[in-house]
Amino acid sequence: MSPRLRVLFATAEAHPTHRADVRVLFGEALPRDGIDVDLIATTTPQKADAPWSGGRAFLRVAASRKAEMFGDLWQQVSLMWRCGGYDALVVRDKPVLGAIGWLAARLWRIRFCYWMSYPMPQAYLTIAARNDGSVGRLRRIWLRMRGRLGQFVLDRLLVPRADWLFVQTEAMERALRQRGLSHDRVTPVPMGVDVDAIPAPAAAPPEPLRGRPAAVYLGTLDRNRNPELLVDAARRVAARLPGFVMIVVGEADEPADRGWLERYAEETGAGDAVWFTGWLPYAEGLALARHAAVGISPIPRSPLTEVGSPTKAVEYLACGLPVVANDQPDQAHVVLASGGGVVVPFTAEGFANGIVEVLGDPDAWRERAGRARDWVAGSRSYRVLGGLVATRLRECVASGSLADADGLRP
């Protein structure tokens, strides 16, 4: 039996987080596979007592956004004295502060792994490029600086010199190779779902859903995701299926974008066809979603989303819901390989047609989604993905030398 490993995990997300690839993969799946994961992150005063199941938690309480920024910096600096006694350090989605983590790992002679779930520098630069007045000038300047510096650190240090690099998808790996990645210490780890933890449906459908055919969307409402498509599709479906309602569970991550989609629904006359719940706790959102007949996953095709692994399709299928999704590569693969849904064009009409198709024969589609749930359990559950990551971490720790001692170019 392999000895247990000890990993220190520094993540960009505050603790606790709804992100399953943090909460479940690192907090539950890896410990089951013999890897103890100690967490280093910021938290809020209200959530400082939230448990971390992976191991110990080194948390810094931050009561404001500014305090969170300084707290995050302090947490990364503290790696200089906290890395002792660990087999590896994993830094997730911190392209600038990750440089401190890389140096700390080198000083302590432990393995350094970088986890890249999203092209953060490109996201910062995309927001900074807005000229519509939704983002203030100072924030745009800050995001532009952060994006450029982050991309430089990724390209010159973290990606080429990491002892192991975990990326979200094969598409992300290909994009990195186009920017100069030359080594093979890379593992794509798509988003998964904790199949065993999917909650039962809420005891009874809430009043806005009773007796109405419903679709559900779980996720962010940031403008760069074009979520107005949800409203436009709902209006079209309601014109063909009276009583139809689109459940929208979520809110925008970007402060400037919050609340605008509800205003858009009212302005376009779709208010009765869309029910906005705002953010809900993860389990509560899934329990509500199970009262719908179909899950919706519109992901615009762009350099940011092309390399991603959306969670919605696998979550819907794990709930036994058929899926209507567009052709973003990873989610299209999930839908087609599992047989649990339809792939449509990224247009309001395309999604409306897909929803009407599923609602036209809900029993047959529920049966297909039930079979697709088995595919998800075998391919995208965190038990399976956790085994993959654990194997790679053990290979990394057992390797003979640190990456930057192997003659890699910067």
Side-chain angles (χ1 to χ4, degrees), residues 309-384:
S309 177
T311 61
K312 286 182 280 296
V314 291
E315 287 174 341
Y316 297 145
L317 292 174
C319 289
L321 287 177
V323 180
V324 176
N326 67 294
D327 61 347
Q328 190 275 347
D330 186 71
Q331 73 172 9
H333 167 73
V334 167
V335 171
L336 296 176
S338 69
V342 294
V343 176
V344 300
F346 187 75
T347 63
E349 188 64 25
F351 271 87
N353 290 339
I355 293 169
V356 170
E357 178 182 343
V358 172
L359 293 180
D361 195 352
D363 292 337
W365 276 106
R366 280 281 187 176
E367 183 178 347
R368 294 183 193 180
R371 294 194 296 268
R373 189 178 190 275
D374 295 334
W375 181 91
V376 169
S379 301
R380 289 295 180 93
S381 74
Y382 276 116
R383 287 187 178 274
V384 173

Side-chain angles (χ1 to χ4, degrees), residues 15-200:
H15 175 72
T17 176
H18 68 280
R19 293 277 311 193
D21 49 344
V22 173
R23 177 177 51 83
V24 180
L25 178 58
F26 283 89
E28 299 175 15
L30 288 182
R32 282 197 300 262
D33 283 313
I35 299 180
D36 296 318
V37 181
D38 291 350
L39 175 70
I40 181 165
T42 60
T43 189
T44 62
Q46 298 81 11
K47 300 178 180 179
D49 295 330
W52 169 251
S53 57
R56 293 185 297 172
F58 303 105
L59 303 177
R60 187 170 182 86
V61 178
S64 66
R65 177 61 178 166
K66 183 179 292 186
E68 182 181 356
M69 293 175 59
F70 282 106
D72 191 45
L73 174 59
W74 174 256
Q75 289 289 63
Q76 203 71 10
V77 170
S78 74
L79 295 173
M80 291 295 184
W81 60 84
R82 282 195 171 133
C83 283
Y86 290 95
D87 297 293
L89 168 66
V90 179
V91 176
R92 171 191 160 93
D93 286 340
K94 300 165 80 69
V96 176
L97 297 181
I100 302 175
W102 177 86
L103 179 59
R106 289 297 172 263
L107 290 174
W108 286 96
R109 304 296 295 173
I110 68 172
R111 298 298 184 265
F112 174 82
C113 304
Y114 190 74
W115 190 284
M116 188 174 173
S117 71
Y118 193 67
M120 300 299 295
Q122 294 178 43
Y124 297 146
L125 293 172
T126 297
I127 298 173
R130 288 189 185 178
N131 289 310
D132 58 4
S134 62
V135 182
R137 182 171 177 271
L138 290 179
R139 178 165 168 74
R140 289 171 57 200
I141 292 173
W142 162 247
L143 290 173
R144 187 176 298 112
M145 293 172 54
R146 192 176 182 185
R148 289 175 178 172
L149 180 58
Q151 194 64 63
F152 177 84
V153 173
L154 275 177
D155 291 344
R156 299 300 183 90
L157 176 64
L158 300 181
V159 168
R161 291 189 177 276
D163 296 301
W164 210 275
L165 182 65
F166 293 94
V167 297
Q168 190 78 95
T169 59
E170 293 179 358
M172 182 178 283
E173 180 181 349
R174 289 194 295 270
L176 290 175
R177 293 202 181 282
Q178 291 174 358
R179 298 186 66 90
L181 171 64
S182 59
H183 63 75
D184 293 323
R185 303 181 308 277
V186 185
T187 301
V189 184
M191 291 296 293
V193 64
D194 187 2
V195 176
D196 298 331
I198 296 297

